[in-house]
Amino acid sequence: MYQYDALDQSIIDQRVEQFKDQTKRYFAGEIDEEVYQTLRLQNGIYIQTHAPMMRVAIPYGVLSSQQLRKLADIAWQYDRGYGHFSTRQNIQYNWPRLEDTPDILAELATVQMHAIQSSGNCVRNTTCDHLAGIAVDEVADPRPYCELIRQWSSFHPEFAHLPRKFKIAFTGAKQDRAAIAVHDIGYRLLRNENHALGFQVSVGGGQGRTPVIGSIMKAFLPEQDLLSYTEAILRVYNLYGRRDNKYKARIKILVNALGLEEFTRLVEQEWAAIRDGGLKLADKEIAEMTAHFAAPAHSNENPDAANHSLARDEKTEPALSESKLFKSWQRRNTVVQKQSGKVAVYVSLKSANQAPGDATGAQMLCVADLADTFGSGEIRVTHDQNLLIPNVNEEDQFTVWEKLRASKLATANIGLLTDMICCPGLDFCSLANAGSIPIAKLINEKFDDLDYLHDIGELRLKMSGCMNACGHHHVGHIGILGVDKKGQEFYQFTLGGSAENDASLGERLGPAVEKTEVVGLLERLLNRYVDIRNEGERFLDTYRRVGVAPFKEVAYDNNSAKEAA
Amino acid sequence: MLLNDKGIAVDDSWRVASSVADWQTPGDVIVTGDTWNLHHDALRARQANGLGKIGLQLSVEEPLDDVSTDLPHLDLIDLKFDKFTDGRPFSVAVLLRRKYAFEGEIRASGDIHRDQLAQLRRVGFNSFSLTNDGSPKSTRFPTSAFSEVYQNAADGLTSVREKRQVSRL
C-alpha cells in the first residue's frame, strides 16, 4: 500500500497544527460559528444528535494492521470502544469530545492517517473496489490512481467551497463493486485497442432525494490525463453548479440541466486548455505509484483462478468438509484471488449482536492480528460496511475462520439478506427521520436461520433513515427508506435497485408501513420470491422478470394496508 | 482593512467610485460591472488622460467572459464574495491568471475570512479586503498554510509532484 514520504508526512503534521490552532481560536471566541463549521467539517467533524461525530478517512478503503490498531486505540481512548465503517470506506466515531479532536488527528498522523476532506463541500474520500489488486476479473489495479486523485484533491485551493460535496469512485475490474454508477464521477479502468490503460468516465450519478444513474461522458480517457480531466470537471462544476438550493446542488443536477452534450462540451473545452500542462501524468510517475501497490512477495498470479474458484469445494480436505458451518462460511465469506493459492477473507460486521458496520476495539485488534499472521498485513473496508483480509493462504482458511468466530466476526452472510447496508439513522444522525439500526435488529432477529438465508441467496438489502440515502436504499435489491409520517416512523420499500454493472434504481413497492409491519412485509416478499423464482434466479432477477405486481399482491396484509392508508 | 499578498495591512491606493462625480478627482478607482458598461468610454478617456487606473469589481453572478476583452485595460479585478461558502471566485481567479493571462492585481473582497487567505493566495489573488478578521485585532495574517503543496497553482510554488520528478531523475 502507499507509504508516505517525508513530504506527505510534513503536510499532515502541519494540517494537525493548523486545526489545533483553529480550534483553540474557536474556543477563545475568535472564529465565527459558521466559519469554524466549515473548518471542522473539512477535518471530518460533525456536530450530531448526541455528540460530535468524527469521520476518519481510509483512502480507498485500504488499511495497514498498524493503522487498524491505532483506530482501535482511538476508539478506546477517545470514544466508547467501537467505530462504525461507512459506505464510503471511512470509519466514524460517534462520541468524541470536540476539544479532543485535534489530539485525535495528531494520533492519526503518527500512522499516516487523517480526516482531511472527509466532509464539507469539497472532494471527499475516493473509494474503490475492495478487491482491487486481487480480483480474478481485474483489468488493472485502480488504487494507484485513487492515490493520485487523493493527493491532487487534498487541500486543492480552488475546490474548497464547491456547491456541494463531491464523490469519486474507481473500479478496475469487469464487475463493478464500487458503485461507480451512483457517484459524481465514476472511473472504470480499461484497455483500449492498443492495450493502453485508460478510463471510461461516468458523471452525474448519485442518490439522495434525486437518485440518478451516471452518464458515460467519455469512452476512453488515457491514464495520463486523469488529473487534468478531473480538474476540468471540477472547474465546470464549481463555476456552474447551483448554489441557491442545497438539495439541488450536486453535479447530477447540473448535468441534467445542461444536458450531457453541453456539459461535456464545457468540460472538454476547459480540458483542452490544461491537458498538456503540469497535470499530465508522466509514465514514470504512474509506474512509481503502481509500485507502491505491488502484490506481496511470494504471490503468483494464477491465470486459471476463475476456474479454480468453481472447483474449490471439491478441494476442501475431508476433515474440514465435515464442518458444515465452515463450508457455508467459506462459500459466502471467502473469495479466490488472482494470486495462486490465496484467498481474501471477508470479516462480516453484520452479526445480530451489533449495529451493521460497527466493530469494537477488540474486534479491530483481532482483524489486525489475523492480517499480520495469516494475510499480508493489509485490511480493506468494503463499501457494504464489512472488512476484508486479503492474501490469506488457502490452507489457513479454517484457522482464520475459527479465530474470527471467537470474535463474532464470522457470520456466514456476505451478500445475503442480513448483510445489510444500514446508515446510523435516528439513533445518531440529526438528519434522520426514522431509526434504521432498530430495523436491522428486528430483521436479524427474525431471519436468524442461516440455512434459510443461504436458500434465499444473494440479496442486497439497503436501508436509509432519511431521503439523503446514506444507506444506499435506491440501489438495494430491496431498499428500505425511513420516513416521518405524522410524527411516527414509517418505512417505504423499493424493489429492484442495483449498484453493479447493471445499475438501476429501485421501484416503489407501495405505501410506507409502520415499524411493527416491516419484518412481516419483508417475509412475505421473500416467500413470494421463493414461490415464483426460476432455477438459479436471485431475488433481483426474479423481480426483473416479473415486475413489482406479484410482490405488491402479497406485501400488504390487512393490518399493514390499514395502517398505511 | 486591506492586506497585501503577504497578509500585511497596507493603505489602500484604490477607492470605490460609483458615479461620474466620484471619479472627477484623480486617483485609482474601482467601479462595478454596471458602471463600467454604462460609462465605458468616459472611463477609458479618463484613463487616457492619465487621471488614474481603473479596477473592476465583479460579483459572483457576473461572468468573466463578458468583460474579457476589457481586461488588457484594467489594472485590478476585485472579485467580491457574496458568501464565503460560494467558491466561484476561486475558479474565476484561476481563469483570470491562466486563460486571460491577467497580470494585474486580483483582489478578494466581501465575505471572506482569514482562514481562507492561503487558498485565495494560491489561486492568484494578491490582495485581500478583509472585514471579518475575527479578534483580537491584528495587522498581519498568514497567507500561506503549509510549507509543501500538492498542487501547482498561480502562486508558482514547487509542488510535491515536481519535487518527486526532480528526485526521480
Side-chain angles (χ1 to χ4, degrees), chain A residues 15 38-46 53-59 86 88-92 105 108 114-126 153-155 165-167:
Chain A
R15 173 62 157 201
T38 59
L39 300 175
R40 64 168 163 79
L41 283 175
Q42 300 210 13
N43 281 288
I45 300 154
Y46 289 82
M53 183 273 277
M54 186 166 187
R55 179 181 297 144
V56 173
I58 300 177
S86 78
R88 300 217 72 246
Q89 301 176 307
N90 293 316
I91 186 172
Q92 295 177 174
L105 291 178
L108 289 167
H114 56 77
I116 295 162
Q117 295 170 211
S118 61
S119 186
N121 293 336
C122 51
V123 180
R124 302 285 189 90
N125 187 30
T126 296
S153 66
S154 295
F155 319 115
K165 61 182 94 169
F166 203 90
K167 300 180 179 179

Side-chain angles (χ1 to χ4, degrees), chain B residues 92-109:
Chain B
V92 173
V94 167
L95 293 174
L96 270 172
R97 290 297 183 211
R98 189 206 80 220
K99 184 174 174 184
Y100 297 109
F102 183 73
E103 289 177 16
E105 185 177 330
I106 304 181
R107 179 174 294 195
S109 67

Side-chain angles (χ1 to χ4, degrees), chain A residues 8 30 34 158 270 285, chain B residues 83 91 98 135 150 161:
Chain A
D8 297 307
E30 295 168 23
E34 219 192 333
E158 188 183 347
E270 173 61 20
E285 195 174 0
Chain B
K83 275 242 68 177
S91 288
R98 189 206 80 220
S135 60
Y150 279 125
R161 281 181 65 222

Side-chain angles (χ1 to χ4, degrees), chain A residues 2 5 7-8 10-11 14-15 18 22 25 30 32 34-35 38-39 151-152 154-158 160-161 235 238-239 243 270 273-274 278-281 284-285 288, chain B residues 65 83-88 90-92 94-95 98 113-116 119 122-123 132 134-136 145-153 160-161 163-165 168-169:
Chain A
Y2 184 72
D5 61 14
L7 297 169
D8 297 307
S10 169
I11 292 174
Q14 291 177 65
R15 173 62 157 201
Q18 180 192 56
Q22 288 165 344
R25 285 164 43 221
E30 295 168 23
D32 288 350
E34 219 192 333
V35 168
T38 59
L39 300 175
Q151 294 187 20
W152 163 84
S154 295
F155 319 115
H156 198 303
E158 188 183 347
H161 294 286
R235 187 159 295 136
N238 192 44
L239 283 168
R243 296 191 185 253
E270 173 61 20
I274 62 176
L279 287 171
K280 201 171 198 77
L281 288 164
K284 267 198 201 144
E285 195 174 0
E288 196 173 272
Chain B
D65 288 346
K83 275 242 68 177
F84 75 88
T85 50
D86 184 334
R88 282 178 278 186
F90 287 94
S91 288
V92 173
V94 167
L95 293 174
R98 189 206 80 220
H113 61 81
R114 59 167 280 188
D115 289 279
Q116 287 179 302
Q119 293 158 337
R122 294 224 69 215
V123 298
N132 175 15
S135 60
F146 307 135
S147 61
E148 307 292 345
V149 291
Y150 279 125
Q151 305 81 10
N152 287 80
V160 162
R161 281 181 65 222
K163 290 187 180 183
R164 286 177 183 153
Q165 255 163 33
R168 203 175 287 132
L169 294 168

Side-chain angles (χ1 to χ4, degrees), chain A residues 224-241:
Chain A
Q224 294 83 359
D225 297 321
L226 176 65
L227 298 185
S228 61
Y229 204 77
T230 310
E231 181 146 313
I233 293 173
L234 264 301
R235 187 159 295 136
V236 168
Y237 175 54
N238 192 44
L239 283 168
Y240 301 113

Side-chain angles (χ1 to χ4, degrees), chain A residues 189-453:
Chain A
L189 195 48
L190 36 69
R191 291 190 185 276
N192 67 3
E193 57 276 4
N194 300 322
H195 205 65
L197 275 174
F199 302 94
Q200 182 191 62
V201 186
S202 95
V203 73
Q207 299 197 63
R209 283 145 211 263
T210 43
V212 182
I213 302 293
S215 308
I216 309 295
M217 74 180 288
K218 199 166 187 70
F220 187 81
L221 174 73
E223 56 175 344
Q224 294 83 359
D225 297 321
L226 176 65
L227 298 185
S228 61
Y229 204 77
T230 310
E231 181 146 313
I233 293 173
L234 264 301
R235 187 159 295 136
V236 168
Y237 175 54
N238 192 44
L239 283 168
Y240 301 113
R242 279 179 71 168
R243 296 191 185 253
D244 60 307
N245 180 344
K246 183 175 155 178
Y247 303 116
K248 297 279 175 201
R250 298 290 290 276
I251 197 171
K252 63 190 175 187
I253 307 293
L254 179 64
V255 173
N256 187 56
L258 291 176
L260 181 65
E261 201 180 303
E262 173 61 8
F263 174 80
T264 306
R265 187 191 70 77
L266 286 171
V267 171
E268 296 272 337
Q269 186 180 69
E270 173 61 20
W271 182 52
I274 62 176
R275 178 179 189 178
D276 294 318
L279 287 171
K280 201 171 198 77
L281 288 164
D283 289 342
K284 267 198 201 144
E285 195 174 0
I286 297 175
E288 196 173 272
M289 187 57 80
T290 304
H292 278 281
F293 298 94
H298 316 303
S299 301
N300 298 307
E301 278 193 31
N302 176 9
D304 205 34
N307 295 330
H308 183 69
S309 65
L310 294 168
R312 190 177 44 175
D313 284 339
E314 285 79 60
K315 258 198 83 177
T316 310
E317 291 172 26
L320 300 180
S321 69
E322 286 172 59
S323 173
K324 185 178 165 227
L325 270 176
F326 168 70
K327 280 206 81 179
S328 74
W329 172 86
Q330 187 194 38
R331 192 163 61 244
R332 295 310 319 177
N333 292 30
T334 69
V335 178
V336 169
Q337 297 185 192
K338 68 181 184 185
Q339 290 83 9
S340 174
K342 304 281 187 190
V343 298
V345 170
Y346 283 101
V347 176
S348 174
L349 299 182
K350 313 292 180 72
S351 78
N353 305 297
Q354 279 160 255
D358 280 9
T360 63
Q363 287 175 321
M364 292 184 214
L365 284 195
C366 167
V367 174
D369 287 344
L370 288 172
D372 278 342
T373 311
F374 298 102
S376 53
E378 187 179 310
I379 300 100
R380 314 281 180 88
V381 184
T382 79
H383 89 270
D384 313 271
Q385 306 173 292
N386 289 313
L387 301 177
L388 182 90
I389 303 172
N391 302 313
V392 173
N393 288 328
E394 276 184 336
E395 53 268 27
D396 290 329
Q397 288 174 88
F398 188 80
T399 313
V400 169
W401 171 63
E402 288 188 310
K403 293 190 186 294
L404 286 172
R405 274 184 92 194
S407 291
K408 299 197 167 72
L409 295 168
T411 314
N413 63 352
I414 300 301
L416 304 179
L417 173 66
T418 52
D419 183 16
M420 297 170 260
I421 291 187
C422 182
C423 75
L426 192 58
D427 292 82
F428 290 100
C429 180
S430 56
L431 302 172
N433 287 319
S436 51
I437 294 172
I439 303 294
K441 189 154 190 272
L442 290 170
I443 293 174
N444 268 309
E445 279 165 8
K446 175 73 183 179
F447 300 102
D448 61 352
D449 182 346
L450 266 180
D451 285 338
Y452 176 73
L453 292 181

